[in-house]
Amino acid sequence: MADTTQFEDDLSRGEVARYLRDIAAEFDDESSPMRVTVGNKEVTLQPSPTIDCETEVTERSRMIGKDSQTITLTLSWAPDED
């Protein structure tokens, strides 16, 4: 069974930086499970010592309307079950 928790919001660059730093701090603390805030919910994860990291950048030039840029960061692992 797959559970998905998703939240989308418009954040300032500073808010995005703080959110990513909070997630990075959770990865740094290898002594306990990591907790990630997704909207108004907190999700507990069990990262393994090795994380598969994929970064994708898409740049689109549009004939009509504004150009757009997207960065997608995907981190995946099999849960570490100490």
Side-chain angles (χ1 to χ4, degrees), residues 30-82:
E30 296 181 23
S31 64
S32 60
M34 69 183 286
R35 290 170 178 73
V36 178
T37 302
V38 183
N40 63 355
K41 182 177 178 182
E42 184 175 88
V43 179
T44 301
L45 302 171
Q46 305 284 339
S48 63
T50 304
I51 310 293
D52 181 36
C53 179
E54 178 183 337
T55 305
E56 178 181 326
V57 174
T58 304
E59 300 173 276
R60 289 193 173 100
S61 295
R62 301 186 184 220
M63 297 293 283
I64 300 174
K66 295 182 179 181
D67 293 349
S68 68
Q69 300 174 334
T70 304
I71 183 167
T72 303
L73 178 62
T74 303
L75 307 171
S76 60
W77 60 87
D80 190 18
E81 314 229 357
D82 286 340

Side-chain angles (χ1 to χ4, degrees), residues 22-33:
D22 289 346
I23 292 173
E26 290 291 327
F27 274 110
D28 276 338
D29 182 6
E30 296 181 23
S31 64
S32 60

